[in-house]
Amino acid sequence: MGKKIGMLLAGAIAALVLLFHLGPLVGLAITLAVLYYAFKKYLKAPSTFGKIVWALIGCAALVVSASNVPALIALVAAYVLYVVYKKWNGVKDERAVPEADDPFVNFEKQWAELQKHYS
């Protein structure tokens, strides 16, 4: 019961942090889209003047996106929410193999890992 309350508290805090930093997150997404568009146009620009203009637009977008550092906090909060969601719903990793004391089971697990790495 205490573990669920802790996960609920962590999820609530992460949700609040994400909501409070939603503005910088949207700003970061927009400036990164402008930066990507400017980079693509820079590569396709036929003239030197066009390359200079797109490089200046790209530099401005890079500076503006760097000023959205609180968006990184929002990304961390979104990841925490994802982890809490996975643990709350009991989603388990399919690759996880239960450990056993039987040496033949451990041998089979190690053999499967070797085959996976070398195939």
Side-chain angles (χ1 to χ4, degrees):
M1 183 68 164
K3 190 174 183 179
K4 291 276 187 180
I5 292 173
M7 286 192 327
L8 182 65
L9 185 62
I13 291 171
L16 286 174
V17 168
L18 181 62
L19 285 175
F20 289 145
H21 292 94
L22 202 56
L25 187 62
V26 170
L28 180 67
I30 291 170
T31 55
L32 288 178
V34 169
L35 181 62
Y36 176 76
Y37 184 75
F39 179 72
K40 287 294 200 179
K41 287 294 188 175
Y42 171 81
L43 292 177
K44 293 180 181 179
S47 67
T48 304
F49 179 74
K51 287 191 181 287
I52 291 172
V53 169
W54 285 114
L56 288 174
I57 292 172
C59 287
L62 184 64
V63 168
V64 173
S65 65
S67 69
N68 287 320
V69 173
L72 297 177
I73 297 170
L75 291 175
V76 170
Y79 178 73
V80 169
L81 272 175
Y82 171 73
V83 170
V84 167
Y85 175 76
K86 273 181 56 176
K87 292 201 184 264
W88 188 274
N89 288 330
V91 177
K92 296 187 178 170
D93 190 8
E94 294 98 23
R95 297 175 291 158
V97 177
E99 293 293 324
D101 292 333
D102 185 16
F104 294 108
V105 172
N106 288 333
F107 174 77
E108 291 294 329
K109 181 179 120 184
Q110 290 175 353
W111 184 254
E113 287 177 7
L114 280 174
Q115 286 181 335
K116 182 174 65 173
H117 288 294
Y118 290 109
S119 59

